[in-house]
Amino acid sequence: MKSRLDQFRATRNALLALVVWTTPALAQTAAPAPVELRLADVRRFAMFVDMGGVQWTGRTARLRVLQVTEGGFKAGAEEFWGGWRHEVIDCEARTIAHAGFGSIRAGGREGPVTGALRPAQPLPAGSAEEAVAKVVCDGWKPYAKVPVASSIEDAVRIGRPLIETGAEP
């Protein structure tokens, strides 16, 4: 006995085959963008610019800067590696606006970003902020012999000895 739906069997089978073949590909998540942390400054903190995360609007850059602390840095009873400073830099006006901070505990656990976008201020001459702006806006590479870090852990491993020795560009 023939069903009225037999005429749709070939189409149904083709659609099922398509679903079976494409579902695993659709279920895969995209790999996160690689992190490229370039050292910009070393003072009390080692400051690494996340070059892969810079977002441009004209000559204004939204970015985050990894601020690595010295070894054994504690706030309360917890040890911290540092944190992400979120910044907006206007390369033409040479201003910076702080847009929040998110801590990073020892082991790499990141806290939420707190703080709101502050008004833009001129870049202080000779400051860590000016060094970050030179790296982002001008392509400056002050620590050419220091490798680019590909993770927070790498940046901590690279940055902490430089804080102790007071590395110069």
Coordinates of all heavy atoms in Angstrom, one line a residue, residues 91-157:
C91 N 44.3 58.9 19.7 CA 45.7 59.0 19.2 C 45.9 60.4 18.7 O 47.1 60.8 18.7 CB 45.9 57.9 18.2 SG 45.9 56.3 18.9
E92 N 44.9 61.1 18.1 CA 45.1 62.4 17.6 C 45.2 63.4 18.7 O 46.2 64.2 18.8 CB 44.0 62.8 16.7 CG 43.9 62.0 15.4 CD 45.1 62.2 14.5 OE1 45.6 63.3 14.4 OE2 45.5 61.2 13.8
A93 N 44.3 63.4 19.7 CA 44.3 64.4 20.8 C 45.3 64.0 21.9 O 45.5 64.8 22.8 CB 42.9 64.4 21.4
R94 N 45.8 62.8 21.9 CA 46.7 62.3 22.9 C 46.1 62.4 24.3 O 46.6 62.9 25.2 CB 48.1 63.0 22.9 CG 48.9 62.9 21.6 CD 49.0 61.4 21.1 NE 50.3 60.8 21.3 CZ 50.7 59.7 20.7 NH1 49.9 59.2 19.8 NH2 51.8 59.2 20.9
T95 N 44.9 61.8 24.4 CA 44.2 61.7 25.6 C 43.9 60.2 25.9 O 43.9 59.4 25.1 CB 42.9 62.5 25.6 OG1 42.0 62.0 24.6 CG2 43.1 64.0 25.4
I96 N 43.6 60.0 27.2 CA 43.2 58.7 27.7 C 42.0 58.8 28.6 O 41.9 59.7 29.4 CB 44.4 58.0 28.4 CG1 44.0 56.5 28.7 CG2 44.8 58.7 29.6 CD1 45.2 55.7 29.1
A97 N 41.1 57.9 28.5 CA 39.9 57.8 29.4 C 39.9 56.4 30.0 O 39.9 55.4 29.2 CB 38.6 58.1 28.6
H98 N 40.0 56.3 31.3 CA 39.9 55.0 31.9 C 38.5 54.5 31.9 O 37.5 55.2 32.2 CB 40.4 55.1 33.4 CG 41.8 55.6 33.4 ND1 42.9 54.8 33.1 CD2 42.3 56.8 33.8 CE1 44.0 55.5 33.2 NE2 43.7 56.7 33.6
A99 N 38.3 53.2 31.5 CA 37.0 52.6 31.4 C 36.7 51.4 32.2 O 35.8 50.6 31.9 CB 36.8 52.3 29.9
G100 N 37.4 51.3 33.3 CA 37.2 50.2 34.2 C 38.4 49.3 34.5 O 39.4 49.5 33.8
F101 N 38.3 48.4 35.5 CA 39.3 47.5 35.9 C 38.8 46.2 36.3 O 37.7 46.2 37.0 CB 40.1 48.2 37.1 CG 41.3 47.3 37.5 CD1 42.5 47.4 36.9 CD2 41.2 46.4 38.6 CE1 43.6 46.7 37.2 CE2 42.3 45.7 39.0 CZ 43.5 45.8 38.3
G102 N 39.4 45.1 35.9 CA 39.0 43.8 36.3 C 40.2 43.1 36.9 O 41.2 42.9 36.2
S103 N 40.2 42.6 38.1 CA 41.3 42.0 38.8 C 41.5 40.6 38.3 O 40.6 39.9 37.7 CB 41.1 41.9 40.3 OG 39.9 41.1 40.6
I104 N 42.7 40.1 38.5 CA 43.1 38.7 38.1 C 43.8 38.1 39.3 O 44.9 38.5 39.7 CB 44.0 38.6 36.9 CG1 43.4 39.3 35.7 CG2 44.4 37.2 36.6 CD1 44.3 39.5 34.5
R105 N 43.1 37.1 39.9 CA 43.7 36.4 41.1 C 44.8 35.5 40.7 O 44.8 35.0 39.5 CB 42.6 35.7 41.8 CG 41.7 36.6 42.6 CD 40.4 35.9 43.1 NE 39.6 36.8 44.0 CZ 38.9 37.7 43.6 NH1 38.8 38.0 42.3 NH2 38.2 38.5 44.4
A106 N 45.6 35.1 41.6 CA 46.7 34.1 41.3 C 46.0 32.8 40.8 O 45.0 32.4 41.3 CB 47.5 33.8 42.6
G107 N 46.5 32.3 39.8 CA 45.9 31.1 39.1 C 45.1 31.5 37.9 O 44.7 30.7 37.1
G108 N 44.9 32.8 37.7 CA 44.2 33.3 36.5 C 42.8 33.6 36.5 O 42.2 34.0 35.5
R109 N 42.1 33.4 37.7 CA 40.7 33.7 37.8 C 40.4 35.2 37.7 O 41.0 36.0 38.5 CB 40.1 33.1 39.0 CG 38.6 33.2 39.1 CD 38.0 32.5 40.3 NE 38.6 33.2 41.5 CZ 38.0 33.4 42.6 NH1 36.8 33.0 42.8 NH2 38.7 34.0 43.6
E110 N 39.6 35.6 36.7 CA 39.4 37.0 36.4 C 38.1 37.4 37.1 O 37.1 36.7 37.1 CB 39.3 37.3 34.9 CG 40.5 37.0 34.2 CD 40.5 37.4 32.7 OE1 39.8 38.3 32.4 OE2 41.2 36.7 31.9
G111 N 38.2 38.6 37.7 CA 37.0 39.3 38.3 C 36.2 40.1 37.4 O 36.7 40.3 36.2
P112 N 35.1 40.6 37.8 CA 34.3 41.4 36.8 C 35.0 42.8 36.7 O 35.7 43.3 37.5 CB 33.0 41.6 37.6 CG 33.3 41.4 39.0 CD 34.4 40.5 39.1
V113 N 34.7 43.4 35.5 CA 35.1 44.8 35.3 C 34.3 45.8 36.1 O 33.0 45.7 36.0 CB 35.1 45.1 33.8 CG1 35.5 46.6 33.5 CG2 36.0 44.2 33.0
T114 N 34.9 46.6 36.9 CA 34.2 47.6 37.6 C 34.7 49.0 37.3 O 35.8 49.2 36.8 CB 34.4 47.4 39.2 OG1 35.8 47.5 39.5 CG2 33.9 46.0 39.6
G115 N 33.8 49.9 37.5 CA 34.1 51.3 37.1 C 33.5 51.7 35.8 O 33.3 50.9 34.9
A116 N 33.2 53.0 35.7 CA 32.6 53.6 34.5 C 33.6 54.4 33.7 O 34.7 54.7 34.2 CB 31.4 54.4 34.9
L117 N 33.3 54.7 32.5 CA 34.1 55.5 31.6 C 34.3 56.8 32.2 O 33.3 57.5 32.5 CB 33.5 55.6 30.2 CG 34.3 56.4 29.2 CD1 35.7 55.7 28.9 CD2 33.5 56.5 27.9
R118 N 35.5 57.2 32.5 CA 35.8 58.6 33.0 C 36.1 59.5 31.9 O 36.4 59.1 30.7 CB 37.1 58.5 33.9 CG 36.9 57.6 35.1 CD 38.2 57.7 35.9 NE 38.2 56.6 36.9 CZ 39.3 56.1 37.4 NH1 40.5 56.7 37.2 NH2 39.3 55.1 38.3
P119 N 36.0 60.8 32.2 CA 36.3 61.8 31.1 C 37.8 61.7 30.7 O 38.7 61.3 31.4 CB 36.1 63.1 31.8 CG 35.3 62.8 33.0 CD 35.6 61.4 33.4
A120 N 38.0 62.0 29.4 CA 39.4 61.9 28.8 C 40.3 62.9 29.4 O 39.8 64.1 29.7 CB 39.3 62.1 27.3
Q121 N 41.5 62.5 29.7 CA 42.5 63.4 30.2 C 43.8 63.4 29.3 O 44.0 62.4 28.7 CB 43.0 62.9 31.6 CG 41.8 62.9 32.6 CD 41.3 64.3 33.0 OE1 42.1 65.2 33.2 NE2 40.0 64.4 33.1
P122 N 44.5 64.5 29.3 CA 45.8 64.4 28.5 C 46.7 63.3 29.0 O 46.7 63.1 30.2 CB 46.4 65.8 28.7 CG 45.3 66.7 29.2 CD 44.3 65.8 29.9
L123 N 47.4 62.7 28.1 CA 48.4 61.7 28.6 C 49.5 62.3 29.3 O 50.2 63.2 28.8 CB 49.0 61.0 27.3 CG 48.0 60.0 26.6 CD1 48.6 59.7 25.2 CD2 47.9 58.8 27.4
P124 N 49.8 61.9 30.6 CA 50.9 62.5 31.3 C 52.2 62.1 30.7 O 52.5 61.0 30.4 CB 50.8 61.9 32.7 CG 49.4 61.3 32.8 CD 49.0 60.9 31.4
A125 N 53.1 63.1 30.5 CA 54.4 62.9 29.8 C 55.2 62.0 30.7 O 55.3 62.1 31.9 CB 55.1 64.2 29.7
G126 N 55.8 61.0 30.0 CA 56.7 60.0 30.7 C 56.0 59.0 31.5 O 56.6 58.2 32.2
S127 N 54.7 58.9 31.5 CA 53.9 57.9 32.3 C 53.7 56.6 31.6 O 54.0 56.4 30.4 CB 52.5 58.5 32.5 OG 51.8 58.6 31.3
A128 N 53.3 55.6 32.4 CA 52.9 54.3 31.8 C 51.8 54.4 30.7 O 51.9 53.7 29.7 CB 52.5 53.3 32.9
E129 N 50.9 55.3 31.0 CA 49.8 55.6 30.0 C 50.3 56.1 28.7 O 49.9 55.7 27.6 CB 48.8 56.5 30.6 CG 47.9 56.0 31.7 CD 48.6 56.1 33.1 OE1 49.8 56.6 33.2 OE2 48.0 55.7 34.1
E130 N 51.3 57.0 28.8 CA 51.9 57.5 27.5 C 52.7 56.4 26.8 O 52.6 56.3 25.6 CB 52.9 58.6 27.8 CG 53.5 59.2 26.5 CD 54.5 60.3 26.8 OE1 55.4 60.1 27.6 OE2 54.5 61.3 26.0
A131 N 53.3 55.5 27.5 CA 54.0 54.4 26.9 C 53.0 53.5 26.2 O 53.2 53.0 25.1 CB 54.8 53.6 27.9
V132 N 51.9 53.2 26.8 CA 50.8 52.4 26.2 C 50.3 53.1 25.0 O 50.2 52.4 23.9 CB 49.7 52.1 27.2 CG1 48.4 51.6 26.5 CG2 50.1 51.2 28.4
A133 N 50.1 54.4 25.0 CA 49.6 55.1 23.8 C 50.6 55.0 22.7 O 50.3 54.9 21.5 CB 49.3 56.5 24.2
K134 N 51.9 55.1 23.0 CA 52.9 55.0 21.9 C 52.9 53.7 21.3 O 53.1 53.5 20.1 CB 54.3 55.3 22.5 CG 54.6 56.8 22.8 CD 56.0 56.9 23.4 CE 56.4 58.3 23.7 NZ 57.8 58.4 24.2
V135 N 52.7 52.6 22.1 CA 52.7 51.3 21.5 C 51.5 51.1 20.6 O 51.6 50.6 19.5 CB 52.7 50.2 22.7 CG1 52.3 48.8 22.1 CG2 54.0 50.2 23.4
V136 N 50.3 51.6 21.1 CA 49.1 51.4 20.3 C 49.0 52.4 19.1 O 48.7 51.9 18.0 CB 47.9 51.6 21.2 CG1 46.6 51.6 20.4 CG2 47.8 50.6 22.3
C137 N 49.3 53.6 19.4 CA 49.1 54.6 18.3 C 50.2 54.7 17.3 O 50.0 55.0 16.2 CB 48.9 56.0 19.0 SG 47.5 56.1 20.1
D138 N 51.5 54.5 17.8 CA 52.6 54.8 17.0 C 53.4 53.5 16.6 O 54.4 53.6 15.9 CB 53.6 55.7 17.7 CG 52.9 57.0 18.2 OD1 51.9 57.4 17.6 OD2 53.4 57.6 19.2
G139 N 53.0 52.4 17.1 CA 53.7 51.1 16.8 C 55.0 51.0 17.5 O 55.9 50.2 17.1
W140 N 55.2 51.7 18.6 CA 56.5 51.7 19.3 C 56.7 50.3 19.9 O 55.7 49.8 20.5 CB 56.5 52.8 20.4 CG 57.7 53.0 21.1 CD1 59.0 53.1 20.7 CD2 57.8 53.2 22.6 NE1 59.9 53.3 21.7 CE2 59.2 53.4 22.9 CE3 56.9 53.2 23.6 CZ2 59.6 53.6 24.2 CZ3 57.3 53.4 24.9 CH2 58.7 53.6 25.2
K141 N 57.9 49.8 19.9 CA 58.2 48.5 20.5 C 59.4 48.8 21.5 O 60.6 48.5 21.2 CB 58.6 47.5 19.5 CG 57.4 47.2 18.6 CD 57.7 46.2 17.5 CE 56.5 45.9 16.7 NZ 56.8 45.1 15.5
P142 N 59.1 49.3 22.7 CA 60.2 49.7 23.6 C 61.0 48.5 24.2 O 62.2 48.7 24.5 CB 59.4 50.4 24.8 CG 58.1 49.8 24.7 CD 57.8 49.5 23.3
Y143 N 60.5 47.3 24.3 CA 61.2 46.2 24.9 C 61.3 45.1 23.8 O 60.8 44.0 23.9 CB 60.5 45.6 26.1 CG 60.4 46.6 27.2 CD1 59.4 47.5 27.3 CD2 61.4 46.7 28.2 CE1 59.3 48.4 28.4 CE2 61.3 47.6 29.3 CZ 60.3 48.4 29.3 OH 60.2 49.3 30.4
A144 N 62.1 45.5 22.7 CA 62.1 44.6 21.5 C 62.7 43.2 21.8 O 62.3 42.2 21.2 CB 63.0 45.3 20.4
K145 N 63.5 43.1 22.8 CA 64.1 41.8 23.2 C 63.2 40.9 24.1 O 63.5 39.7 24.3 CB 65.5 41.9 23.8 CG 66.5 42.5 22.8 CD 67.8 42.6 23.4 CE 68.8 43.2 22.4 NZ 70.1 43.4 22.9
V146 N 62.1 41.5 24.6 CA 61.2 40.8 25.5 C 60.2 40.1 24.6 O 59.6 40.8 23.7 CB 60.5 41.8 26.5 CG1 59.5 41.0 27.3 CG2 61.6 42.4 27.4
P147 N 60.0 38.8 24.7 CA 59.0 38.1 23.9 C 57.6 38.6 24.1 O 57.2 39.1 25.2 CB 59.1 36.7 24.3 CG 59.7 36.7 25.6 CD 60.6 37.9 25.7
V148 N 56.8 38.5 23.1 CA 55.3 38.9 23.2 C 54.7 37.7 23.9 O 54.9 36.5 23.6 CB 54.7 39.0 21.8 CG1 53.2 39.2 21.9 CG2 55.3 40.2 21.1
A149 N 53.9 38.0 25.0 CA 53.2 37.0 25.7 C 52.0 36.5 25.0 O 51.2 37.4 24.5 CB 52.9 37.5 27.1
S150 N 51.7 35.2 25.1 CA 50.4 34.7 24.5 C 49.4 34.3 25.5 O 48.4 33.8 25.1 CB 50.8 33.6 23.6 OG 51.4 32.5 24.3
S151 N 49.6 34.6 26.8 CA 48.6 34.3 27.8 C 48.9 35.2 29.0 O 50.0 35.8 29.1 CB 48.7 32.8 28.2 OG 49.9 32.6 28.9
I152 N 48.0 35.3 29.9 CA 48.2 36.0 31.2 C 49.3 35.4 31.9 O 50.2 36.1 32.5 CB 46.9 36.0 32.0 CG1 45.8 36.8 31.3 CG2 47.2 36.6 33.4 CD1 44.4 36.7 31.9
E153 N 49.4 34.0 32.0 CA 50.4 33.3 32.7 C 51.8 33.7 32.1 O 52.8 33.9 32.9 CB 50.2 31.8 32.6 CG 49.0 31.3 33.4 CD 47.7 31.4 32.5 OE1 47.8 31.8 31.3 OE2 46.6 31.1 33.1
D154 N 51.9 33.7 30.8 CA 53.2 34.1 30.2 C 53.6 35.5 30.6 O 54.7 35.8 30.9 CB 53.1 34.1 28.6 CG 53.2 32.7 28.0 OD1 53.5 31.8 28.8 OD2 52.9 32.6 26.8
A155 N 52.6 36.5 30.6 CA 52.9 37.8 30.9 C 53.4 37.9 32.4 O 54.3 38.7 32.7 CB 51.7 38.7 30.7
V156 N 52.8 37.2 33.3 CA 53.2 37.2 34.7 C 54.6 36.6 34.8 O 55.5 37.2 35.5 CB 52.2 36.4 35.6 CG1 52.8 36.2 37.0 CG2 50.9 37.1 35.6
R157 N 54.9 35.5 34.1 CA 56.2 34.9 34.1 C 57.3 35.8 33.5 O 58.4 35.9 34.1 CB 56.2 33.6 33.3 CG 57.5 32.8 33.3 CD 57.4 31.6 32.4 NE 56.8 31.8 31.1 CZ 57.4 32.4 30.0 NH1 58.6 32.8 30.2 NH2 56.8 32.5 28.9

